[in-house]
Amino acid sequence: MLQPIEAGLSRPWYRLKFPDALEAQYRAETTRQSGRYVQSWLAIFTLFNVLSLVMDREVFGPEGFVVPLAMTLGVFCPVALAAIVSLRGRPTTVRISAAVLATALVDIVVVLNSARLAPAPHADVYIIIATIVPLVVGLIAPMPFRHCLWFCGASFALYGGLVLGFGLCNAERSGLPLLVSGLILVPLKLCYSREWEARKTFLIGLRVKLQGEALARANARLTVLSETDSLTALSNRRHFSERLEAAWALAGERDTWLGVILIDLDHFKLLNDTAGHAEGDLCLVAVAEALQTSVAAHGGLAARYGGEEFVALLPEADPSAARSAGEAIRAAVTDLAIRHPGLPAGTPVTVSVGTTAGQGRTRDFGIQASDLLKAADFALYAAKNEGRNRVESFMPAANVNRQAGEEVRATLPSA
């Protein structure tokens, strides 16, 4: 989408229109606008014509004044008022252009008729005013350039036709009508420049919008990548740690339970050594999918903690609920029936699971999120020590001795 925008910004001056897709979007966004601006100027224009009757009375006298009075009040004012009424709400550009065109053309007729009837010394004033009418209206009205072409063309044709038809331009006095007639075409330049700038502003705004959306998508993608494990598509360890801290803080505020589960594939190193790392990766992906499904059913978050180890947190899960979830995870992996190539025939891939749960109020006694992980870790290695493919639980305690935990790990068999 950016390529057509850049092409539009660099198009030559004589090519006002965009390519079809951009043109449709531009017109859709600019086709309607508030009519109050044009209404206010038409109202001022109408008031000006009414006030000009004072000059007409001075020029024509009390008796001759009847004709311009009737033309102004009986013809011009009704047309102008109808145009103002037609622009209520959010009129289309076609309606705006039609309203100003009708008003200008009628006013040209009224003014040139006055020029035809006015005493000779005053006729030139009305001839000049007749060109000022479309000049002012064309400069003020926010018409597209294509409409301005019609507006100026129709005004010029009507002005020229009436000047010739009323005998206001002849061999003796052709200079003034021809000279001032060029004023009618002046709005063409302004309308063109105004629309060119409007289109340029539209393109720049659209480019900024699209670039902003692309940047937002890229940032969102980067956020996902920074929080996701590339192999399993689960949350990664860093993201899980952030969520665990936030969940434990929330549990403290609400005094609710928070469950934490650690999962480790049994004999995974043997699987890798026997079948190769590619098969090991496929196994990890399958286990991750089963884990995600099981944990999501309990409203929790699953993550890859590292290597063949996974972790999950379960908001509002007490020790019993955390253990039940651990059992569901263990059973889900077993039900995958993934054959372990390094074990006796028919032996499936299994997991050992350690669960724990802490109540929010224990934060006041020094229990931290890291203590939940340590408790789940002790439970996991207890499950390993008890024969694997089982679930064990351990309650968290503050300031658990790390060295003691390492000593426990050292006494346990490898994964």
Side-chain angles (χ1 to χ4, degrees), residues 116-407:
R116 177 175 66 90
L117 301 175
H122 300 284
D124 289 347
V125 175
Y126 287 98
I127 290 175
I128 295 173
I129 292 175
T131 62
I132 293 177
V133 168
L135 168 65
V136 174
V137 174
L139 293 178
I140 292 172
M143 293 182 290
F145 179 68
R146 64 185 187 280
H147 292 177
C148 189
L149 283 172
W150 284 100
F151 174 85
C152 292
S155 299
F156 188 84
L158 179 63
Y159 174 84
L162 291 179
V163 165
L164 293 174
F166 288 163
L168 300 174
C169 181
N170 50 49
E172 297 178 356
R173 47 174 303 177
S174 61
L176 180 65
L178 289 176
L179 175 64
V180 298
S181 65
L183 295 175
I184 298 175
L185 304 179
V186 171
L188 287 174
K189 175 63 173 69
L190 179 64
C191 281
Y192 183 89
S193 299
R194 186 163 52 195
E195 183 170 350
W196 180 274
E197 289 302 318
R199 287 172 174 268
K200 179 179 178 181
T201 300
F202 164 76
L203 288 178
I204 292 174
L206 184 59
R207 180 175 63 182
V208 170
K209 177 184 176 183
L210 292 177
Q211 288 175 338
E213 291 175 350
L215 180 60
R217 289 193 299 269
N219 287 336
R221 177 62 177 163
L222 287 175
T223 299
V224 170
L225 291 175
S226 69
E227 296 176 348
T228 305
D229 176 64
S230 59
L231 176 64
T232 64
L234 296 178
S235 293
N236 58 25
R237 181 168 183 162
R238 184 186 64 81
H239 184 226
F240 177 84
S241 297
E242 293 174 355
R243 291 288 300 274
L244 176 62
E245 291 288 348
W248 185 233
L250 183 63
E253 293 174 4
R254 299 179 177 178
D255 191 24
T256 56
W257 286 92
L258 178 65
V260 175
I261 303 174
L262 274 172
I263 306 101
D264 189 86
L265 272 71
D266 297 327
H267 303 293
F268 185 71
K269 183 177 183 301
L270 180 59
L271 187 152
N272 266 342
D273 292 342
T274 306
H277 289 282
E279 287 298 320
D281 287 348
L282 292 175
C283 178
L284 288 173
V285 171
V287 170
E289 291 176 355
L291 173 62
Q292 175 67 19
T293 301
S294 184
V295 172
H298 291 80
L301 172 72
R304 186 181 181 190
Y305 205 57
E308 71 274 21
E309 198 169 40
F310 298 89
V311 65
L313 64 84
L314 302 176
E316 301 185 5
D318 60 16
S320 176
R323 187 178 182 94
S324 295
E327 288 287 357
I329 292 169
R330 186 198 61 78
V333 174
T334 302
D335 289 343
L336 292 175
I338 301 173
R339 189 181 70 83
H340 195 303
L343 297 177
T347 303
V349 171
T350 60
V351 292
S352 296
V353 182
T355 71
T356 190
Q359 194 167 11
R361 72 180 66 174
T362 60
R363 283 170 53 90
D364 297 335
F365 301 102
I367 301 294
Q368 300 178 4
S370 59
D371 295 319
L372 295 178
L373 282 172
K374 292 173 187 176
D377 191 44
F378 290 150
L380 170 63
Y381 276 87
K384 290 281 189 181
N385 195 43
E386 293 296 324
R388 300 184 176 87
N389 191 22
R390 59 186 297 113
V391 179
E392 294 292 341
S393 301
F394 193 91
M395 292 300 292
N399 300 318
V400 175
N401 188 296
R402 179 177 298 274
Q403 182 178 356
E406 294 299 328
E407 292 175 353

